[in-house]
Amino acid sequence: MADTVAPSAAKTLKVALLGAGNVGAEVARILLTDADALAERTGARLELAGIAVRSIDAPRTFPLPRELFTTDASALVRGADIVIELMGGIEPARTLILEAIEHGATVVTGNKALLAVDGPSLYEKADAAGVQLSYEAAVAGAIPILRPIRDSLAGDKITRVMGIVNGTTNYILDQMDTTGAQFADALAEAQRLGYAEADPTADIEGHDAAAKGAILASLSFHTRFALEDVHCQGITSITANDIAAAREAGYVIKLLAIAEKIDGMDDDGTETSGVSVRVHPTLLPRDHPLGAVHGAFNAVFVEAENAGQLMFYGQGAGGAPTASAVLGDVVSAARRLVLGGPGRTETTTGRLPVLGIDAVTTRYYIGMDAADQPGVLSKISALFAEHGVSIETMRQTVHTEPGDGESAGSAELRIVTHRAGEAALAATVKAIEGLDVINSVTSVLRVEGV
Ligand code: NAP
């Protein structure tokens, strides 16, 4: 017996597409041009019932039949089996997704901004209605990362996820690392090439990565995390000097979204566990797998108890790459609709508490501008010891020779610590800033991957 369904005999599923921009137009192209292959893979013909847009006559990246377009998204949603939301933004995307859920339609979206602010309530409504809500495209574009975490690793225990999940900031940091450019010049180049938007705030301040971090953490630890649970720091304060100093010490600076389980002990000796989710510029050893992710590429490094270390790498954005992730969700949803039953998309039985950044211990890199005079290093070492932060390496570069007797020369000091807590480190830095031999603390960055 043939193991494929003849396209002509297949059941038909009506697909409503909301949005025909960079991603939506590519999704429409694949649905129309690969219709037979998709029918064979799903056992159903995926009929593109219509495409809702703002302006029917706006130019499209792929020629699409005009009769498919409508500005009445709501009517389109009401008649659909599968709704693909690729409008972006909060409204009307949220209302349309809720309408789709109410009508029992399966929903596929790539809208990380909406999921970041309203994901938990949307997942709950979908679960309550018994419909599936999938969003593979919302994290790391083309990279299949959510389904592997949700399904392939469902029998394992994930301990840590570290991701380069924002291509714009990776491009900027990579440019700074490879060309020695300052942040502002690398950002301007990213904007010129279309990697960064005219208003780059969401990328460079880490908000986009934080939204993806919340999604990755929720699936990895079976606990719902919202955007406000993520400690977030962007890359705007990273200087060419930071990058050069990191390089000299064998590190590369990357903006990472990190979600990790932290086991601890209460004052009364009871074992406690929680999850910390954070986004910040991070020093990584240059030979770490994430250190080799260049340009606007994305990668997610997953550590699990039994699987060990896994790395997922690919294009994190772009019309066709992101459409690939959307279609993966659509095919999976169509298969479920053909076989019957929605299937559960995720579990939230972990119920782990959210830990603040204070619960994290990590290694730190501290750069400072100090007077070049005897006794400075011992004063600094004593302050570290006093606060219980142990120094792993200390490097000194003399900047200026001592003056003609009026002023001392200055030296750049770069210290990498052993693991320390946030509070101890902050207290150490504050105390160092108070030393009369310190001109300024120029950077404080976390070090991971060693
Ligand atoms: P886009 O190019 O801005 O396209 C948005 C589309 O939605 C346009 O076709 C627009 O219609 C339509 N639209 C917007 N507001 C509407 C409204 N109120 N009513 C009706 N139609 C409306 O966006 P995109 O880059 O394709 O991104 C779509 C989604 O995918 C976003 O959630 C984004 O975060 C996510 N995503 C994108 C990428 C990527 O590489 N671009 C990667 C991962 C995830 P008109 O064409 O008529 O203006």
Side-chain angles (χ1 to χ4, degrees):
M1 203 167 82
D3 61 357
T4 57
V5 174
S8 57
K11 169 181 179 168
T12 295
L13 293 173
K14 285 194 182 304
V15 178
L17 178 59
L18 311 183
N22 293 320
V23 185
E26 292 299 320
V27 167
R29 171 182 66 78
I30 298 168
L31 284 170
L32 294 173
T33 56
D34 293 348
D36 287 349
L38 292 169
E40 282 175 356
R41 283 176 217 161
T42 58
R45 287 208 76 79
L46 302 178
E47 180 198 325
L48 182 55
I51 307 173
V53 289
R54 261 181 312 219
S55 158
I56 288 181
D57 294 317
R60 306 291 161 199
T61 55
F62 179 78
L64 296 164
R66 198 174 191 281
E67 61 274 18
L68 284 178
F69 284 92
T70 175
T71 53
D72 190 350
S74 204
L76 188 60
V77 162
R78 285 196 295 272
D81 299 299
I82 299 174
V83 173
I84 307 175
E85 186 279 305
L86 291 168
M87 286 178 167
I90 307 301
E91 286 296 351
R94 173 182 15 214
T95 303
L96 291 165
I97 287 177
L98 288 172
E99 273 181 39
I101 291 171
E102 268 167 36
H103 283 89
T106 295
V107 178
V108 174
T109 178
N111 196 334
K112 60 236 167 189
L114 175 60
L115 294 177
V117 297
D118 218 14
S121 120
L122 292 174
Y123 309 142
E124 264 160 36
K125 291 200 166 80
D127 264 357
V131 304
Q132 203 184 334
L133 170 63
S134 317
Y135 43 92
E136 182 67 67
V139 179
I143 305 174
I145 180 64
L146 300 188
R147 199 167 300 123
I149 287 178
R150 198 187 61 211
D151 295 341
S152 317
L153 291 167
D156 206 332
K157 281 187 192 150
I158 291 176
T159 50
R160 186 152 74 145
V161 178
M162 295 203 291
I164 294 172
V165 289
N166 181 274
T168 307
T169 46
N170 201 56
Y171 176 84
I172 293 170
L173 292 173
D174 194 39
Q175 274 291 106
M176 292 173 75
D177 187 64
T178 51
T179 69
Q182 283 292 359
F183 171 77
D185 297 329
L187 170 59
E189 177 70 356
Q191 284 172 317
R192 196 181 65 75
L193 293 171
Y195 290 135
E197 293 181 24
D199 176 2
T201 312
D203 293 323
I204 62 178
E205 295 294 352
H207 305 155
D208 174 78
K212 294 162 179 172
I215 295 172
L216 282 171
S218 300
L219 289 175
S220 301
F221 297 102
H222 308 278
T223 302
R224 281 182 184 143
F225 297 95
L227 189 56
E228 60 265 25
D229 297 327
V230 184
H231 171 90
C232 179
Q233 182 192 337
I235 64 164
T236 51
S237 63
I238 301 294
T239 62
N241 193 36
D242 289 332
I243 301 266
R247 169 183 274 278
E248 198 186 304
Y251 295 101
V252 60
I253 299 182
K254 297 285 185 192
L255 183 72
L256 297 188
I258 303 173
E260 70 180 330
K261 186 157 171 273
I262 297 174
D263 295 319
M265 198 85 83
D266 268 350
D267 291 344
D268 65 2
T270 316
E271 280 188 18
T272 57
S273 295
V275 173
S276 138
V277 195
R278 52 203 165 99
V279 167
H280 51 68
T282 311
L283 270 76
L284 281 172
R286 295 191 83 83
D287 60 359
H288 188 280
L290 288 172
V293 178
H294 297 292
F297 273 79
N298 281 196
V300 183
F301 191 76
V302 180
E303 292 168 64
E305 260 180 32
N306 299 305
Q309 298 180 332
L310 303 158
M311 169 93 158
F312 300 82
Y313 169 85
Q315 295 196 57
T322 309
S324 164
V326 171
L327 261 297
D329 278 349
V330 171
V331 165
S332 159
R335 282 180 178 154
R336 285 203 166 112
L337 290 174
V338 169
L339 294 171
R344 278 189 76 86
T345 52
E346 59 175 296
T347 54
T348 53
T349 48
R351 295 185 196 93
L352 289 165
V354 180
L355 298 180
I357 194 75
D358 288 349
V360 175
T361 63
T362 185
R363 297 164 72 235
Y364 288 88
Y365 163 89
I366 302 129
M368 59 192 94
D369 185 36
D372 180 29
Q373 62 187 49
V376 172
L377 297 188
S378 60
K379 278 187 187 173
I380 292 171
S381 307
L383 275 186
F384 272 88
E386 211 174 284
H387 290 89
V389 179
S390 138
I391 294 175
E392 185 189 286
T393 58
M394 191 190 278
R395 286 162 190 254
Q396 180 179 12
T397 313
V398 175
H399 267 328
T400 52
E401 293 304 321
D404 54 9
E406 284 195 7
S407 62
S410 74
E412 191 173 332
L413 288 180
R414 296 162 196 156
I415 290 174
V416 175
T417 72
H418 287 292
R419 277 190 173 274
E422 176 89 4
L425 197 279
T428 312
V429 170
K430 196 161 174 239
I432 286 172
E433 281 171 334
L435 283 177
D436 55 359
V437 292
I438 293 295
N439 301 325
S440 63
V441 172
T442 51
S443 48
V444 179
L445 294 165
R446 297 179 182 85
V447 181
E448 297 284 350
V450 274

